[in-house]
Amino acid sequence: MDEFARRIEGFGDYLRHQARFSPNTVKGYLTDVEGFRRYLEENGFDLDVPGNAALQSVNVRWIRGYLKTLHETRKKSTIGRKLAALKGFFRYLVREGVIAKDPLVGFSAPKQEAPLVSFLSVDEAFRVLGCLPEEGILPARDCAVMEVLYSSGVRVSELVGLDWRDVDFSLGVLKVFGKGSKERIVPVGQVALAALRDYAAHQRGRWGREARGGEPVFLNRFGSRITTRSVARIVEKYLRLAGIPVRMGPHGLRHTFATHLLNAGADLRSIQELLGHASLSTTQRYTHVNLDQLTAVYDRAHPRA
């Protein structure tokens, strides 16, 4: 194993144990850094020199060459992600004293247009929720899934990770664990709580499992914790039943939740807390106010409107 490969392994250990990144993030970062190493190897860069000489020889020319090949085959979002991984790797090398200067200082990710996010109008949301069935264990589960997603705005990963101990019926809140295992408390509406109570009763009848403690809230037909893909299928199913031709998954209900709160007068800071965003700029990208509402606010508020 050459020194470059050995340092990639050390970077992985750092991400896992010190930065405490999620397993998926660590895997992605290591894959991206290894991709750069392969590029160097395939283009005549000498990786077999002793010590840290190879790592110290990586300069702007090699970085630009690699990015040029990415531009020919990759989307801007993918390039930005790979560049972020490399930046993290070289910062790690500087911190460890392996190299004296970071070759990526001054580099920035390619600009990309913020994607348009699909979300439902209030009428569409009520049409979808009005299609939810009431009888049977799986229909009861589907009803609870949809109501909780729209009522709380939680991520799909947070939804599938819920245990019954995380549901406080008396206070009307959920305890969820977001990105980076950060815990937050989110309110959930009475309609969603009623759907959860109904589903809990069905759960006891179907599997004989009490809805309490460390038991998963949402189960599949075999009595195991539901997957994010299964939740996506549930959302797609009820959008189709409601006759809504919008292509969106569970994250679309999260956008819908945020947009409806914003349109009803909630401030961005509050929505940021509810969504568990670290940055307010993220919340701004995930929320939308329609032009009619903006115009109405302007007409009411501006003295020269």
Side-chain angles (χ1 to χ4, degrees):
M1 178 186 295
D2 59 59
E3 184 66 11
F4 203 117
R6 193 172 76 81
R7 291 297 178 178
I8 293 176
E9 282 195 354
F11 181 49
D13 290 338
Y14 164 76
L15 293 177
R16 291 185 196 94
H17 304 304
Q18 295 186 48
R20 297 189 180 280
F21 282 13
S22 71
N24 285 340
T25 301
V26 173
K27 181 180 178 181
Y29 268 42
L30 296 184
T31 298
D32 290 339
V33 176
E34 180 57 36
F36 177 61
R37 180 188 172 281
R38 283 198 306 273
Y39 165 81
L40 295 175
E41 190 173 37
E42 292 166 1
N43 287 272
F45 187 91
D46 189 0
L47 293 171
D48 294 323
V49 294
N52 298 328
L55 291 162
Q56 292 169 350
S57 298
V58 177
N59 56 30
V60 171
R61 183 172 63 86
W62 287 106
I63 301 291
R64 285 178 177 161
Y66 177 59
L67 293 178
K68 182 179 178 182
T69 63
L70 294 179
H71 275 288
E72 294 169 356
T73 58
R74 305 282 182 171
K75 295 180 180 179
K76 286 184 179 180
S77 58
T78 304
I79 297 171
R81 190 200 70 216
K82 291 180 179 294
L83 188 55
L86 287 178
K87 283 188 171 185
F89 177 61
F90 284 108
R91 282 198 300 269
Y92 161 76
L93 294 180
V94 171
R95 190 162 43 244
E96 293 293 307
V98 177
I99 60 176
K101 184 178 179 181
D102 183 349
L104 277 168
V105 169
F107 262 89
S108 59
K111 292 183 179 179
Q112 50 186 302
E113 296 180 359
L116 294 176
V117 180
S118 295
F119 62 95
L120 303 176
S121 68
V122 173
D123 288 343
E124 287 173 332
F126 276 68
R127 274 170 57 194
V128 172
L129 298 176
C131 288
L132 300 177
E134 298 179 355
E135 297 299 326
I137 174 63
L138 295 181
R141 178 205 64 191
D142 293 354
C143 180
V145 163
M146 296 292 288
E147 291 286 2
V148 169
L149 283 173
Y150 176 60
S151 178
S152 65
V154 294
R155 300 177 178 92
V156 63
S157 59
E158 295 167 346
L159 181 94
V160 301
L162 280 175
D163 292 333
W164 283 111
R165 65 187 168 206
D166 302 323
V167 182
D168 191 322
F169 286 100
S170 61
L171 294 178
V173 297
L174 304 175
K175 180 171 67 176
V176 298
F177 297 89
K179 292 183 177 180
S181 298
K182 292 181 180 177
E183 177 186 317
R184 74 180 190 283
I185 304 297
V186 296
V188 61
Q190 291 301 315
V191 175
L193 289 172
L196 281 170
R197 287 192 186 94
D198 180 59
Y199 166 59
H202 279 84
Q203 194 180 84
R204 286 193 296 271
R206 172 70 176 266
W207 292 291
R209 294 165 66 169
E210 291 296 323
R212 64 186 182 189
E215 289 285 344
V217 173
F218 295 110
L219 305 175
N220 61 23
R221 65 180 66 250
F222 305 109
S224 300
R225 189 183 296 273
I226 201 172
T227 64
T228 56
R229 181 64 196 124
S230 293
V231 175
R233 283 195 290 264
I234 291 170
V235 174
E236 291 163 4
K237 173 183 177 180
Y238 290 105
L239 283 172
R240 189 171 60 252
L241 288 175
I244 296 175
V246 175
R247 293 193 64 184
M248 62 178 234
H251 220 62
L253 289 180
R254 180 169 161 86
H255 302 322
T256 299
F257 162 85
T259 302
H260 291 180
L261 284 180
L262 185 66
N263 288 354
D267 64 274
L268 277 176
R269 287 290 182 187
S270 298
I271 296 173
Q272 177 189 1
E273 289 294 322
L274 291 171
L275 293 177
H277 287 158
S279 167
L280 187 60
S281 62
T282 306
T283 310
Q284 290 172 323
R285 289 203 308 270
Y286 280 56
T287 55
H288 305 263
V289 183
N290 62 55
L291 184 59
D292 290 341
Q293 187 194 5
L294 284 176
T295 303
V297 170
Y298 178 84
D299 288 341
R300 287 197 308 268
H302 199 284
R304 299 281 285 181

